[in-house]
Amino acid sequence: MIQGFIQIALTLLILLAIVPFFGSYMAKVYQNQPTFLDKVFSPVDGLIYRLTGVRADRGMTGWQYTRAVLFSNLAMAVLVFLILMFQGVLPFNPTGLSAPNWDLALHTAISFVTNTNQQHYSGETAYTYGSQMLALGFLMFTSAATGLAVAIAFIRGLTGQPLGNFYADMTRSITRVLLPISIVGGLALLILGVPETLAGPAVATTLEGATQTIARGPVAHFEIIKELGENGGGFFGINSAHPFENPNALTNLIETVAFLSIPASLIYTYGVMTRNKKQGWLVFWMVFIIYVVLIVISGIGEYAGNPLVNDVLGNQAPNLESKEIRFGWAQTVLWAISTTGTMCGAVNGLHDSLMPPAGFATLFNMFLQIVWGGQGTGTAYLFVFLILTVFLTGLMVGRTPEFLGRKIEKQEIVLASVILLVHPFAILVPSAITLAFADTLSGISNPGFHGVSQVVYEYASAAANNGSGFEGLGDGTLWWNLTASISLIVGRYIPLMALLLLADGMSRKQPVPETKGTLRTDTGLFTGITAGVIVILGALTFFPVLALGPIAEAFEIAALK
């Protein structure tokens, strides 16, 4: 047990070392300050702007930024849908795959354009090399860049700056952050054994003399942006548990750090851009503590194992069901909490086989969306909670609420409420309908309390733009493809619109001079209150489904022992 937690601690120490450097670098990128990559990528940026007709120096209002996000994402989704539907006649199809069902192609296009990558298919048997590279791989860059652009526009608005230009922010997100790291990371994964080939499946003869077909493909470059961009969609059906996606402990470390690095560092970027690093660090440590607590809860549960199995064995053993032995219980726990916390959604073990404490923690992560949250959007949601806490504490002490020198008024609270309330509606309403007709709609493979978790997890994953699942659920149906698509759209675009409008309103407010009565938001006390507000709101909203799912399952297992 000690060894497992030491492995986890070392990974977290690497993350802590990266945050200030990477956070400072991203602050330079988005404040148009010189970086060491400018000589290489500034000409690339210029070429992109000339070809697309973008005026990078032309700022946008909140509505203009919103329209740019929606129209660009719609165009990309339509393009990818068409590629998927015509993949049978397009190049890079060595296995001769035909077009998928229209509802699966629609769900896939929406899932990837929303940075969710929820997969109701197995990549090696459903989509061609061309579809995975030119359609899904393309969206892995643009969807991640969209989230980063919105987060940066939100931070600018909070500090009274113009929101900027969406197309310029998206371009710089790709050329200064995602692409350079993906090139280096992809080469590292290639060296460590992740394949990168356009050749068809390999055919091998087993020791028994049988013939075995081994799927492969251009995986290395796909894998690194999958993690770095918090996309999570696997080239293969079993995702990062597959030895061609994640062959050893070192690739596992690289991929874990990759999907943690941007959301964790963005909090520091906020501190730099607002010239208040103290508040940035306080918020960072608040999230980090919640994150570590969830890891510990899950780790203890997985190490203790299943008591029913332990009774049969006659001794205590970690829960290794559906885990890769090359990673063990500790790295599976760290990955599960990190991937549901960052909204990456990649998996290196089957979440359906997690013990109830880890099932509780993964669901809790997706309900809160701030530990560490989605690519860019998680950071923005964090500061929505800060705004709400300012409002609540202001009411308690009879002060006009202010945040970063600007008054919090009715419009900001309405938009913040929209952001926080859309999420439970996108999860609980379709979950209730599906469970009401469980025999015909749900596809539950494990009846009882765990089956409730399977259904709620799938919609939570869609609404939170996470993409992972309690696999075993029969989700490759028309019902699941269409209803999950609705949760994907609602969970992504309504909050993005509200974030941009909130930021636009804040940017237009006149700054209020700080006085002795001003409530400071960069103190440990205020940060602690914010943590309480986050946990209490999450508990009040989602505790009933947690009680009917992992909590009830834990009591059920204990009673059967």
Side-chain angles (χ1 to χ4, degrees), residues 70 381 415 418-419 422 488-501:
L70 296 178
Y381 292 157
L415 291 170
V418 168
I419 293 165
V422 160
L488 289 164
I489 293 169
V490 170
R492 175 71 163 181
Y493 294 110
I494 292 179
L496 285 190
M497 292 169 64
L499 284 171
L500 290 168
L501 296 178

Side-chain angles (χ1 to χ4, degrees), residues 129-141:
Y129 292 180
S131 292
Q132 299 225 56
M133 286 189 302
L134 305 177
L136 306 185
F138 161 70
L139 288 182
M140 284 183 172
F141 279 96

Side-chain angles (χ1 to χ4, degrees), residues 84-253:
L84 299 181
M85 291 304 296
F86 289 97
Q87 69 172 9
V89 297
L90 294 175
F92 307 114
N93 185 9
T95 52
L97 293 173
S98 58
N101 292 335
W102 70 268
D103 54 301
L104 177 60
L106 178 66
H107 174 267
T108 303
I110 294 172
S111 180
F112 276 75
V113 82
T114 56
N115 195 230
T116 309
N117 295 23
Q118 189 176 52
Q119 295 176 285
H120 291 171
Y121 64 90
S122 292
E124 64 268 45
T125 60
Y127 291 123
T128 66
Y129 292 180
S131 292
Q132 299 225 56
M133 286 189 302
L134 305 177
L136 306 185
F138 161 70
L139 288 182
M140 284 183 172
F141 279 96
T142 56
S143 64
T146 296
L148 284 170
V150 170
I152 295 302
F154 182 74
I155 293 172
R156 290 185 186 128
L158 291 184
T159 57
Q161 304 173 51
L163 301 191
N165 183 292
F166 168 70
Y167 299 109
D169 290 336
M170 184 171 73
T171 300
R172 290 182 68 82
S173 295
I174 294 173
T175 60
R176 298 304 194 283
V177 179
L178 299 173
L179 183 59
I181 300 175
S182 293
I183 292 172
V184 175
L187 289 173
L189 293 180
L190 183 62
I191 291 168
L192 292 169
V194 179
E196 181 75 22
T197 178
L198 292 176
V203 179
T205 302
T206 67
L207 293 176
E208 293 82 7
T211 299
Q212 182 179 7
T213 302
I214 303 171
R216 54 183 176 175
V219 183
H221 84 278
F222 192 89
E223 184 71 16
I224 188 62
I225 187 57
K226 158 192 151 183
E227 312 296 6
L228 181 66
E230 290 183 51
N231 294 285
F235 195 93
F236 301 103
I238 61 172
N239 210 279
S240 292
H242 197 293
F244 283 175
E245 289 198 28
N246 191 8
N248 52 59
L250 187 51
T251 59
N252 193 73
L253 174 64

Side-chain angles (χ1 to χ4, degrees), residues 55 259 376 424 454 456 541-542:
R55 289 283 303 273
F259 63 71
Q454 282 186 318
V456 173
T541 305
F542 292 106

Side-chain angles (χ1 to χ4, degrees), residues 450-525:
H450 193 85
V452 174
S453 294
Q454 282 186 318
V455 170
V456 173
Y457 192 109
E458 189 72 7
Y459 285 117
S461 175
N465 302 136
N466 179 266
S468 64
F470 264 25
E471 296 309 342
L473 184 73
D475 52 21
T477 65
L478 179 66
W479 169 259
W480 276 110
N481 285 333
L482 295 184
T483 57
S485 294
I486 294 171
S487 291
L488 289 164
I489 293 169
V490 170
R492 175 71 163 181
Y493 294 110
I494 292 179
L496 285 190
M497 292 169 64
L499 284 171
L500 290 168
L501 296 178
L502 193 158
D504 189 48
M506 292 288 283
S507 71
R508 298 174 187 277
K509 291 179 180 288
Q510 291 298 319
V512 179
E514 185 175 312
T515 66
K516 290 183 179 180
T518 300
L519 176 66
R520 295 191 62 84
T521 58
D522 56 354
T523 65
L525 176 61

Side-chain angles (χ1 to χ4, degrees), residues 386-404:
L386 283 175
I387 290 171
L388 187 59
T389 306
V390 167
F391 177 74
L392 294 174
T393 52
L395 291 178
M396 292 177 188
V397 298
R399 300 281 185 184
T400 302
E402 299 169 10
F403 187 65
L404 297 179

